[in-house]
Each structure stands twice: as C-alpha cells, then as structure tokens.
Amino acid sequence: MTPMRKRALAAQACIDRFRGRAYEPGKADCVQLAKHCLHHLGRRVGQGKLPAYSTEIGGLKALKRLGFNSLVEALDGVGLQRIAPAMTLPGDLMALPTEHPLGALAVAVGNGRVIGFLEGEKGAVIMQPHAFVAAWRTL
C-alpha cells in the first residue's frame, strides 16, 4: 500500500468513527481522534504518552503529571516531526487555536480541511480552519 493510500484510509477511518459523534472527554475528543489516526497509520502511542482520563480537568492533570502543559507539548514529546501547517497531508495532526488550557487537536483530511471537535457543534465536524498553532507529520 502506498503511503498516500495509507494516509487517506487513516483520515477516512477518523471521519467514519468521529464525524457527528458527540464530544465526550476520554472517549470522543481530540486526543482520541489523534490516537485513532496514529493507530491506523501504524504509529503506537502508549498510555504513558497520551494518558487515559474521563474529564477535561483529569486530562489536564494527567498531562501535567507527565511534564506537559498542553497537547502541543505532549505531541512534541511523542516524537512526531513538526511541519508547517500548509504542508499537512491527510492523516497529519494539527493543533488549532483555542482558549482551553489543554489545546485542541485535529486530523488533516485533505484540501486544507480537518476533522475535529468545535465548540458549539454537536459532534466532530469537517472544517477548513483559518488559523493554526502547530502541525505534525505522522507518516
């Protein structure tokens, strides 16, 4: 399987699993979305890197126990290569601006679009963000 095909399948798996699914910390949120994508690309991320939690506060506390202040720091800690947001390919991860102390992650699905959880929406949506914090190459 070509790398682009693998990327496309990983992005589609994220769409299939999370699009329209209601936000639920620890089960259906941006961390689970990113982990799902990485899993489909064959990248193993242990619980020690992105810990389990059931509330946003619990997630933030778990990150802090691991020495991270945000999801951006945690993804850098996983060892993914940072790239310019304009260079993302399907299946790459992006951090979007948010006021939440954890941060917000999304998965690139192609053509400048991402799937992620957006405040005010009932579930994960495909959107075309206009601002970015960081991006990582996943494959």
Side-chain angles (χ1 to χ4, degrees):
M1 179 180 317
T2 67
M4 277 307 287
R5 178 76 176 136
K6 193 171 187 177
R7 288 173 163 287
L9 290 173
Q12 188 61 53
C14 290
I15 292 169
D16 293 344
R17 181 170 181 181
F18 290 97
R19 188 177 195 183
R21 189 169 169 193
Y23 174 80
E24 185 179 355
K27 294 186 180 182
D29 60 21
C30 62
V31 173
Q32 300 309 312
L33 178 66
K35 286 173 68 173
H36 189 70
C37 182
L38 291 170
H39 171 77
H40 278 274
L41 291 170
R43 302 281 311 243
R44 299 287 177 218
V45 178
Q47 287 297 92
K49 298 289 184 188
L50 294 174
Y53 55 92
S54 60
T55 66
E56 290 177 0
I57 292 171
L60 184 58
K61 286 180 181 178
L63 279 177
K64 288 189 182 284
R65 278 194 307 271
L66 293 172
F68 304 118
N69 291 313
S70 69
L71 292 173
V72 169
E73 287 182 15
L75 276 181
D76 285 339
V78 171
L80 298 177
Q81 175 191 2
R82 279 246 199 158
I83 59 172
M87 301 300 294
T88 58
L89 297 170
D92 285 338
L93 301 179
M94 301 183 83
L96 304 178
T98 180
E99 292 180 13
H100 195 284
L102 277 172
L105 302 177
V107 174
V109 297
N111 295 326
R113 297 172 304 142
V114 300
I115 183 168
F117 290 88
L118 186 63
E119 193 169 330
E121 294 291 332
K122 292 185 180 185
V125 296
I126 295 175
M127 59 189 134
Q128 189 146 13
H130 300 289
F132 313 93
V133 174
W136 296 267
R137 182 72 70 212
T138 56
L139 188 63

